[in-house]
Amino acid sequence: MSTQIVGSRRAEPTGTHGTAGLPEQMTAEWQQTVRARVLAELAEFVQRRSVESAVRPAVQHVLWQYVGGGKCVRSAFMYAGWLCGATEADTALRASAALELFHAFALLQDDVMDESARRRGEPTAHRRLADRHQRNGLPGCPRRFGESAATLLGDICLIWAEQMLRESGMDEPALARVRPHYDRMRIELTMGQFADLSNDIRSTPTLDGVLAIARAKSGDYTVKWPLVLGAAMADCDRHVTAALAEYGRSIGEAFQLRDDILGVYGLPEVTGKPDNDIAQHKASTVIVAAMEMAGTRLHRELCSLLRAPTLGMSEVARVRALITATGAPARIEAMIDNRVTEARRALAAAPLPDDRRELLDGMAARCTVREF
């Protein structure tokens, strides 16, 4: 890989994991390599900080479920943003890894707010901590303890995320360029979560309203902001940064739309959750689209089922069949395709080397075409 990259303001030695001539089929290998390096950095950081903070081993295990159990999509996008303006650097990868701690914070709080039972195939943190409280015969309400403890673990991750970024080894000018975008990302995510508190299908939300919430609490935070953070850290040309933001906004929305389809049709072993969006009365894009597209008879039956306090397996299966009958999944698939096309158009116009464009194109495919 060349050390001279469009938009770069720095020259650093080329590492051993370059992306020169990267074809689409090699993107998966690149992401796996980045994930392994990110997890190694996180493991070292969390272990060291846990000892310093006197975090108990049992709690560390719960914490690692959230910090180290994901695909590291956000850190990979941030590192890809860096590579659009600079060459390989361990400091940049370490700074990108900090996003996984921030993501852990968001997941821990989200599970408490949604009263989720499982995360990544295991009981959620507040459930596990509540069970430990009950087994140990401690005074007070186990449920309340579990929720409070999980919230505090999220706070620790939030603090550690900024600490890991600050101590990554990046120089101060680079960190100063990152901070304003990092603050905007955190505020946007928090406000999106706030809006999501009342995002219930029984309140008859609009598709545009649901999309706005999804964009704030998931889409932009998954792709656009990580790319912008990486580009800012590398001091990319403003045209490069603008193109990455446009690409990231489109792919982030497509990512969330795909996630919404998985939330209705996905298998628990894939989604990591026993209850889908239907059972949780979640106002996801595919469910809201179905409500808007349903004819009178289908709409009446959907409303009757979705407004029930609880839905059993048979009711969920019936709602799923009704959603399919409305044609909503096909509409959401078309929206995904449109956004991927928009993202690729932004990449085509961006002043980027071919290898960087190929990398981002491959990541777009991996984010938006996921198994059920």
Side-chain angles (χ1 to χ4, degrees):
M1 181 175 63
S2 171
T3 57
Q4 211 47 50
I5 303 298
V6 172
S8 177
R9 305 282 182 83
R10 64 183 67 239
E12 297 190 43
T14 302
T16 58
H17 302 288
T19 59
L22 185 76
E24 185 174 320
Q25 62 265 28
M26 289 183 65
T27 304
E29 182 180 342
W30 180 86
Q31 282 193 253
Q32 289 168 3
T33 301
V34 169
R35 180 177 184 269
R37 295 170 66 192
V38 163
L39 291 180
E41 294 285 356
L42 287 167
E44 181 181 347
F45 181 91
V46 170
Q47 176 62 31
R48 185 171 68 252
R49 296 304 173 194
S50 293
V51 171
E52 292 174 0
S53 307
V55 178
R56 297 177 181 177
V59 177
Q60 287 182 45
H61 184 71
V62 175
L63 195 61
W64 189 249
Q65 174 188 348
Y66 285 77
V67 176
K71 298 181 178 67
C72 301
V73 172
R74 290 153 192 85
S75 51
F77 271 115
M78 183 170 172
Y79 195 48
W82 163 267
L83 290 176
C84 288
T87 56
E88 293 275 355
D90 289 340
T91 53
L93 183 122
R94 196 173 303 119
S96 301
L99 277 188
E100 299 308 316
L101 285 164
F102 180 67
H103 185 47
F105 149 76
L107 293 180
L108 283 158
Q109 292 211 347
D110 193 55
D111 283 348
V112 171
M113 288 186 283
D114 290 349
E115 300 181 299
S116 300
R118 299 185 75 79
R119 170 68 65 181
R120 294 170 175 164
E122 295 186 73
T124 46
H126 62 277
R127 290 286 187 97
R128 295 174 69 176
L129 294 165
D131 288 345
R132 288 188 65 248
H133 182 280
Q134 191 166 32
R135 286 197 308 271
N136 292 335
L138 299 174
C141 173
R143 181 189 62 81
R144 179 65 175 161
F145 173 86
E147 291 174 349
S148 300
T151 300
L152 291 170
L153 276 184
D155 291 343
I156 289 174
C157 288
L158 180 62
I159 296 165
W160 281 352
E162 187 156 357
Q163 190 173 16
M164 187 174 188
L165 177 63
R166 188 175 65 246
E167 298 175 359
S168 62
M170 291 303 303
D171 59 46
E172 183 53 36
L175 294 176
R177 291 191 298 270
V178 167
R179 288 190 191 103
H181 304 294
Y182 190 58
D183 288 343
R184 284 187 63 189
M185 177 186 70
R186 291 186 293 182
I187 292 169
E188 186 179 287
L189 171 66
T190 303
M191 296 312 297
Q193 287 280 39
F194 191 92
D196 196 45
L197 288 174
S198 56
N199 190 33
D200 191 298
I201 192 61
R202 292 167 290 189
S203 63
T204 61
T206 65
L207 184 57
D208 285 344
V210 171
L211 274 171
I213 293 173
R215 191 180 302 120
K217 75 179 289 278
S218 181
D220 283 358
Y221 145 71
T222 299
V223 186
K224 187 191 87 172
W225 285 119
L227 280 170
V228 169
L229 291 172
M233 192 164 62
D235 202 10
C236 281
D237 177 271
R238 62 186 178 86
H239 299 294
V240 171
T241 303
L244 291 178
E246 186 178 347
Y247 159 93
R249 186 179 298 109
S250 296
I251 293 303
E253 285 191 22
F255 175 90
Q256 183 56 48
L257 290 167
R258 174 62 63 203
D259 200 58
D260 285 352
I261 290 179
L262 287 171
V264 171
Y265 297 99
L267 299 171
E269 54 266 31
V270 175
T271 63
K273 300 179 181 181
D275 296 327
N276 63 18
D277 291 346
I278 297 170
Q280 294 179 328
H281 297 97
K282 184 177 179 181
S284 71
T285 54
V286 67
I287 298 174
V288 173
M291 295 290 284
E292 291 185 356
M293 296 172 68
T296 304
R297 183 185 62 81
L298 289 181
H299 190 274
R300 187 183 303 116
E301 188 175 357
L302 275 170
C303 285
S304 175
L305 288 165
L306 290 171
R307 286 173 181 168
T310 58
L311 289 87
M313 291 181 63
S314 60
E315 289 85 2
V316 167
R318 179 57 182 164
V319 171
R320 189 183 290 119
L322 292 172
I323 289 172
T324 302
T326 67
R331 180 181 178 184
I332 300 302
E333 290 286 357
M335 291 171 69
I336 292 172
D337 290 343
N338 287 340
R339 281 154 177 78
V340 172
T341 298
E342 290 170 0
R344 286 177 171 152
R345 190 179 298 123
L347 281 183
L352 286 170
D354 288 343
D355 58 341
R356 286 357 185 213
R357 191 176 288 109
E358 289 169 0
L359 171 63
L360 291 169
D361 187 69
M363 293 179 74
R366 284 178 58 77
C367 278
T368 57
V369 182
R370 289 181 283 166
E371 296 179 353
F372 285 77

